[in-house]
Amino acid sequence: MAARPHVARRILVYWMDAVIVFIAIASIISLFGLLALKEITPGQALIAGLLQLFVYAGFPWTLRVAFDNKPAPVTLLALMTVASLAVTLGFPAGGYGAASWDILPWFMLSAVGLFLRLRVTLAVGAVSVVLFTVVMHLRTGEAWWWLLTLSTIMAVVMVGAMWLWLWLWRTIREAYESKEAKASLAVAEERLRFSRDLHDLLGRSLVLLSLRSELAAKLGSTEEMLQVHRLAGEALSQLHVTAAGLSALDLEEELAQARAALAGMGADCLVQARTAELPAASRALLAWVVREGTTNILKHSTATRCHIRLDAGRLEIRNDGVRHASQAGGSGLHGLAERISVAGGSLDAHHVGRDEFVLTATVPA
């Protein structure tokens, strides 16, 4: 109904305010009609009018309290009930509907029902219908079944209308809160994605940077220092790419860089990959796997050989020289496993034998 809940609330409340004002005006006009017919005295008309206006004026407040899920205004509801009963029972009754105050008991029942459970409201409504039927039958002599029918219809319509109003408001509010929750979840997921991308993009570069700088410090080599400078530049560029949200990777480029990086650390790397038939989304996922797998080999092993095989959407990275079990864990592999699972694939990492490690990823081909 509205873009924001406070706007919807305002529309619903003001709409009900207009309905109450209309009923109040109709009641006052009816009161003047009874006065013109001399069925009530001017003093009775004044008192009845003031009591009715008090009930009608208090109803918008109770409606706003119910809309805001605040505790029931017990004192106000009690005073409004007393006022409505005083008018209904204390003034002449020329037959059901002859007086403007005949609607007041059901008006109050709808107000009280806003704060009661369904079963309690049904019980209170049933008792009110029976009592009102008996009282009006004794006062007017009208047929009890006719009074019972009219009272039941009025009770159902008035209470049902109030509940419908309140349900509509709560539905709008819950829908908006659900939308807000989804937006917050989307922000959290984007932060997690950024964290994963930052880890995946910069992890290998920083590991290589660390190893190259350590080697340069030992050898005092100008060439190694130039390599450190190049790697630092690459890491900075990748950080810019991540910050811009453009962190898509090229699978062939990642395979080539993996071979070069592992060869540079003294490992014999064999790459056998068929990538042409893979869809773009699967290629991007496997590129991340290659990068993360290479990073883990550089960080957690002293590999002398590595075999990267890719065929029909199944990638396997196998290496030796595993120093400890940490190559199987880490936020990088966990993040990749979640991504691949969402895409309909799987990721598995486990040790083989004493010092081998196998990383396997399967994506839709």
Side-chain angles (χ1 to χ4, degrees), residues 342-362:
V342 170
S346 63
L347 182 72
D348 178 64
H350 61 275
H351 290 82
V352 177
R354 296 183 59 183
D355 68 343
E356 281 195 343
F357 186 81
V358 178
L359 176 64
T360 305
T362 304

Side-chain angles (χ1 to χ4, degrees), residues 11-350:
I11 293 173
L12 291 173
V13 169
Y14 288 170
W15 190 359
M16 181 55 67
D17 288 347
V19 172
I20 295 171
V21 170
F22 175 79
I23 295 175
I25 293 175
S27 298
I28 298 301
I29 293 175
S30 175
L31 201 60
F32 278 109
L34 293 174
L35 182 62
L37 295 173
K38 297 183 178 181
E39 294 186 11
I40 58 175
T41 64
Q44 289 178 323
L46 177 62
I47 296 174
L50 291 175
L51 291 175
Q52 288 183 86
L53 288 177
F54 171 73
V55 174
Y56 292 134
F59 192 83
W61 173 257
T62 62
L63 187 64
R64 285 163 171 79
V65 171
F67 269 36
D68 294 335
N69 284 335
K70 294 180 179 178
V74 178
T75 302
L76 178 60
L77 288 174
L79 291 175
M80 291 169 61
T81 301
V82 170
S84 64
L85 290 177
V87 175
T88 304
L89 301 178
F91 291 89
Y96 191 82
S100 61
W101 47 77
D102 288 342
I103 195 177
L104 286 180
W106 317 121
F107 206 76
M108 283 308 307
L109 179 63
S110 67
V112 174
L114 292 173
F115 303 96
L116 300 178
R117 297 180 180 272
L118 175 60
R119 293 181 179 178
V120 178
T121 302
L122 292 176
V124 173
V127 172
S128 300
V129 167
V130 171
L131 290 178
F132 187 81
T133 299
V134 172
V135 171
M136 292 300 293
H137 174 68
L138 294 177
R139 295 187 68 193
T140 65
E142 290 186 282
W144 65 269
W145 61 268
W146 172 247
L147 292 171
L148 180 64
T149 301
L150 291 179
S151 299
T152 302
I153 292 175
M154 289 298 297
V156 171
V157 170
M158 293 294 292
V159 175
M162 288 300 101
W163 274 354
L164 178 61
W165 232 264
L166 189 60
W167 172 83
L168 182 59
W169 156 240
R170 288 175 176 172
T171 300
I172 294 173
R173 184 179 61 190
E174 290 172 2
Y176 182 81
E177 290 174 351
S178 176
K179 182 179 177 181
E180 288 288 293
K182 289 180 180 178
S184 299
L185 181 60
V187 171
E189 289 178 347
E190 180 61 19
R191 288 175 176 171
L192 181 59
R193 183 202 64 79
F194 184 83
S195 174
R196 292 170 181 167
D197 287 358
L198 192 63
H199 176 277
D200 296 342
L201 278 169
L202 298 182
R204 186 185 63 183
S205 297
L206 293 178
V207 170
L208 286 173
L209 186 62
S210 175
L211 295 174
R212 288 286 186 179
S213 60
E214 181 181 355
L215 184 60
K218 291 180 179 179
L219 300 179
S221 170
T222 302
E223 181 180 352
E224 292 296 335
M225 289 304 299
L226 291 175
Q227 289 292 333
V228 170
H229 177 74
R230 180 184 63 81
L231 290 170
E234 289 181 359
L236 183 60
S237 299
Q238 290 168 343
L239 180 59
H240 291 162
V241 168
T242 304
L246 303 175
S247 55
L249 298 181
D250 181 77
L251 179 56
E252 285 80 5
E253 182 180 346
E254 289 302 316
L255 290 169
Q257 290 185 2
R259 182 192 294 112
L262 293 171
M265 303 314 298
D268 181 17
C269 184
L270 173 63
V271 177
Q272 296 175 312
R274 295 173 55 189
T275 63
E277 71 277 7
L278 292 175
S282 296
R283 291 163 63 89
L285 285 173
L286 292 179
W288 285 112
V289 177
V290 171
R291 169 163 288 207
E292 181 63 25
T294 304
T295 300
N296 285 344
I297 293 173
L298 294 171
K299 288 174 61 177
H300 304 301
S301 75
T302 56
T304 59
R305 65 180 185 278
C306 177
H307 187 188
I308 302 177
R309 184 189 315 163
L310 172 58
D311 185 29
R314 185 178 186 276
L315 171 68
E316 179 182 283
I317 303 177
R318 182 185 295 264
N319 66 278
D320 66 352
V322 178
R323 295 194 296 263
H324 44 74
S326 61
Q327 188 174 340
S331 61
L333 287 181
H334 289 309
L336 281 174
E338 293 177 5
R339 291 186 186 182
I340 294 175
S341 177
V342 170
S346 63
L347 182 72
D348 178 64
H350 61 275

